[in-house]
Amino acid sequence: MVTVLERPVASLVRKNLPVCVLDDEPDQVELTTDHLRKAGFPVFGTSNPQEALQKIRLGACRVVIADVKMPGMDGLTLLERTLQYDPGVYVILATGYYSVDSAIEAIKRGAYDYLCKPIDYLRLEKSLDELAESFTRRSEIRQLEGKLFENLQFQGIVGRSAPMIEVFELVRKVARHYTNALITGPTGAGKELVARALHQLSPVGQERFAVCNCSAMVDTLLESQLFGHMRGSFTGATETRTGIFEYANGGAVFLDEVGETSLAMQAKLLRVIQNREIQRVGSPETKKVDIRLIAATNRDLRAEVLAGRFREDLFYRLSTIEIRVPGLTERPEDIPILVQHFLKKYGQAYGKQFQGLSRRAQIVLSHHDWPGNIRELENVISSACITANADFIDVDDLPKHLQKPHQRAAAPEENWRPLPLDEIRRLHIERVLEVCKGNRVKAANMLGIGRTSLYRFLKRANVQSPAGAA
C-alpha cells in the first residue's frame, strides 16, 4: 500500500508571511497569535484598529485576520481601508454571527476568506499556507521574470510580441548596410528608440548620433540648425555656427517628424541625400559630409506625396529601407513587460520599490485604448509611482481618466427619420418575424405579447410572414 504524504510547508516559507491579528477581545487576540506563532508565522496582535492600519501602511504585514463586529470600526470598514492602503494585503474576516450572505458580501468586497468563530485553526493554517506558497511562487516568478526581462530587451527596447520581434530582426539585418532609412509609426510608439538601435548596431555606432525635431522650428531656424550659418548671414547671427550635419560627420543624423517639413526644405534635404554635401546659410562654399540619415514620421508619406505635400523623389530616397513601428494596440502582449520596465525605472527614480499592479489596475490598463501608445503608458506609470504608497499600484493611483470606464457616445444613424409609432411597431415586428423565420408563436414569445394579439396586429397592418411561417 502506497501512502501519499503531503509536502510540508517549509518553516522558511511561513516566516515570509507576517500576519496581523485584530480583535476587540484581548483573549481572542492572545489565543490566535500564540497559535500562529507556534506554527511558525511572524505575528502581531492588537485590539486597536488604528494600530493595525498603521502596520498595514508601513508594509509590516501581508495578511490581516480581523473580527467583523468591533466597536469603532467594523471588519468590512477595515477591509475597505486596508485595500486602499495596500491592495496586495490579504484580509481574512472572522465572526461569531456567520451567514452565507455575509460571507459572499465580504468576498465580493475583497476579503480572501471568511471564518466562523470559534476559529477552526486547521482551516486557518491551511489558508495561510496557501498564501505563503503563493507569495513564494510569486517571488520565484519575479526572479525568473527579471532574468527573462533582460532577454526581452533589444538595445534598450522592451518587447516580446511578434510585431516587435519582426522590427528587431529587420533592424539587425539592415543596420550594417543602410545609408538612408525611414521609420514610420504612430506618435509615442518608440520610433526614436528604433533609430538609436539602428545606429548603435551600425559600423558607426560609436560615432555621434544627432537628433533634430523638424516640427519644432520654422524653416529659417530649421535650416540654420541643420546646415549651420555664417556670422552676419541674418539678423541675430552674431557668430559662425556649425549645423547638425557637420556636427554628426562620420555618424548619423535622426530627423524626427520629417513629414512636417516644407517643400522648400525637402529640396535642400534631397541635395544632402543625393550628394552628401551641405552649404551653410550665408556661405557659397559646399562641404562634403559622411553621414547616415534616419528619418521618422507619423504621417502616411505615400498619401502626402499623392496630395502634393511631400516630394516624391525625397520619399523614395528616404524609404530605401522602411521600418514600421507598431502602436501599442497592435502589441497588447507587451503591456505587462512594459509596465514592469517602467515600474522598475520610476521606482528607482523616486526611491520606492513596487511589486506590481493590483488585479483591478491590470484590468483597467488592458482595457484602455492607449491613443498615446508607449509614451502615454510611461506617463501613466510614472504618475502612479509618485502617488502610490503601497507595494502594489491600485486603480486609485492611476490618473482620473483611467479610473472611470470609457463610454463611447452612440453615433446616431445616418438614415434616421421620424416615424409614427404604428410604423415603428410594424417594422420591429417584421424584424422579429425574420429572426424567428416566420414562426409566429416564437415571435409572440419574444415580443412578450399573446399569440392572438400578434395575429390581430398582423391582419390589421397587412404584414406578410416570411415563407415557411408557422
Side-chain angles (χ1 to χ4, degrees):
M1 179 178 178
V2 179
T3 304
V4 179
L5 298 176
E6 292 185 1
R7 181 176 62 87
V9 179
S11 59
L12 179 61
V13 174
R14 288 185 171 182
K15 287 179 179 178
N16 290 332
L17 191 72
V19 181
C20 176
V21 177
L22 173 64
D23 198 299
D24 61 327
E25 299 178 9
D27 291 344
Q28 183 65 45
V29 172
E30 184 177 356
L31 180 64
T32 304
T33 53
D34 285 347
H35 188 96
L36 294 179
R37 190 173 290 112
K38 289 176 182 177
F41 293 97
V43 59
F44 166 81
T46 180
S47 297
N48 185 344
Q50 296 300 330
E51 191 174 2
L53 287 173
Q54 181 65 13
K55 286 284 184 182
I56 295 165
R57 275 195 293 264
L58 296 174
C61 61
R62 296 258 52 92
V63 180
V64 177
I65 303 170
D67 187 20
V68 173
K69 300 291 184 182
M70 293 183 294
M73 181 184 297
D74 61 32
L76 291 175
T77 303
L78 179 89
L79 168 65
E80 183 178 348
R81 294 186 63 178
T82 297
L83 295 180
Q84 286 176 350
Y85 288 142
D86 190 344
V89 172
Y90 288 88
V91 178
I92 298 174
L93 296 178
T95 181
Y97 305 93
Y98 182 89
S99 72
V100 174
D101 290 341
S102 61
I104 292 174
E105 178 63 21
I107 299 299
K108 281 183 177 179
R109 292 172 69 168
Y112 177 75
D113 202 353
Y114 195 84
L115 304 178
C116 182
K117 283 185 173 182
I119 294 175
D120 181 347
Y121 287 108
L122 288 178
R123 175 180 169 180
L124 176 60
E125 278 189 39
K126 183 180 178 182
S127 292
L128 293 176
D129 283 343
E130 289 173 354
L131 284 175
E133 289 185 343
S134 174
F135 275 106
T136 301
R137 283 196 300 271
R138 286 184 186 181
S139 178
E140 292 172 351
I141 289 171
R142 279 196 296 272
Q143 291 176 4
L144 290 173
E145 284 179 342
K147 295 177 181 177
L148 179 62
F149 185 71
E150 296 176 1
N151 298 328
L152 294 175
Q153 292 196 57
F154 173 78
Q155 299 295 318
I157 308 173
V158 178
R160 65 180 176 189
S161 61
M164 288 307 295
I165 297 299
E166 290 180 9
V167 171
F168 299 160
E169 289 301 320
L170 183 56
V171 169
R172 282 194 189 97
K173 289 177 183 177
V174 305
R176 296 193 61 81
H177 310 289
Y178 84 98
T179 52
N180 307 315
L182 178 64
I183 301 176
T184 60
T187 299
K191 296 188 290 294
E192 184 173 341
L193 289 178
V194 173
R196 289 184 181 276
L198 193 60
H199 171 63
Q200 289 164 4
L201 293 175
S202 72
V204 297
Q206 302 303 315
E207 303 296 332
R208 287 173 173 169
F209 178 80
V211 179
C212 179
N213 186 344
C214 298
S215 65
M217 291 172 279
V218 296
D219 266 11
T220 50
L221 288 178
L222 179 59
E223 183 178 8
S224 173
Q225 180 80 0
L226 292 174
F227 301 98
H229 62 258
M230 302 300 293
R231 179 180 178 182
S233 57
F234 55 85
T235 303
T238 57
E239 58 182 14
T240 298
R241 181 178 175 182
T242 301
I244 282 178
F245 288 126
E246 276 189 81
Y247 169 80
N249 192 21
V253 172
F254 175 57
L255 301 180
D256 198 10
E257 304 298 349
V258 73
E260 308 298 324
T261 55
S262 67
L263 290 171
M265 180 56 64
Q266 291 168 27
K268 295 173 182 177
L269 291 175
L270 182 63
R271 182 176 179 83
V272 176
I273 293 173
Q274 287 178 332
N275 303 328
R276 285 302 193 266
E277 64 180 24
I278 56 107
Q279 189 174 9
R280 288 181 181 175
V281 177
S283 172
E285 181 186 1
T286 60
K287 290 188 176 183
K288 287 287 184 179
V289 287
D290 178 20
I291 57 166
R292 296 183 179 223
L293 188 63
I294 308 171
T297 181
N298 60 0
R299 290 178 177 266
D300 182 352
L301 289 190
R302 289 178 176 82
E304 295 294 298
V305 168
L306 292 175
R309 292 188 291 267
F310 200 86
R311 291 181 62 108
E312 186 175 14
D313 48 4
L314 178 59
F315 169 69
Y316 286 118
R317 289 282 188 174
L318 288 174
S319 61
T320 307
I321 295 168
E322 183 173 351
I323 302 172
R324 183 183 178 278
V325 183
L328 205 50
T329 53
E330 300 173 65
R331 41 183 291 212
E333 57 267 54
D334 284 341
I335 293 177
I337 60 171
L338 285 166
V339 168
Q340 180 187 350
H341 171 67
F342 293 135
L343 280 178
K344 182 178 179 181
K345 175 180 176 180
Y346 290 103
Q348 292 175 347
Y350 303 138
K352 300 179 180 180
Q353 190 171 0
F354 298 102
Q355 295 190 35
L357 271 64
S358 69
R359 291 181 292 276
R360 296 188 302 174
Q362 291 174 19
I363 292 171
V364 168
L365 295 189
S366 66
H367 288 171
H368 187 54
D369 293 336
W370 300 111
N373 293 292
I374 298 172
R375 188 177 297 140
E376 181 186 2
L377 176 62
E378 181 174 5
N379 290 339
V380 165
I381 300 301
S382 172
S383 171
C385 287
I386 294 174
T387 59
N389 293 315
D391 292 344
F392 288 83
I393 287 177
D394 198 18
V395 174
D396 294 338
D397 301 315
L398 300 177
K400 295 295 182 184
H401 71 279
L402 288 177
Q403 295 181 22
K404 297 179 181 179
H406 182 57
Q407 297 179 347
R408 291 187 177 89
E413 295 184 9
E414 293 181 2
N415 298 325
W416 182 88
R417 57 189 177 88
L419 292 173
L421 285 175
D422 284 343
E423 179 70 6
I424 294 173
R425 190 181 294 112
R426 183 185 67 79
L427 291 171
H428 182 61
I429 289 176
E430 284 181 350
R431 289 179 180 176
V432 172
L433 281 169
E434 288 177 8
V435 171
C436 297
K437 298 181 180 179
N439 189 319
R440 296 183 181 185
V441 176
K442 190 182 293 186
N445 290 334
M446 187 176 291
L447 290 165
I449 61 177
R451 185 171 51 180
T452 306
S453 299
L454 177 61
Y455 289 162
R456 191 182 302 118
F457 180 84
L458 295 175
K459 184 177 181 180
R460 184 172 67 248
N462 195 26
V463 176
Q464 299 297 321
S465 298

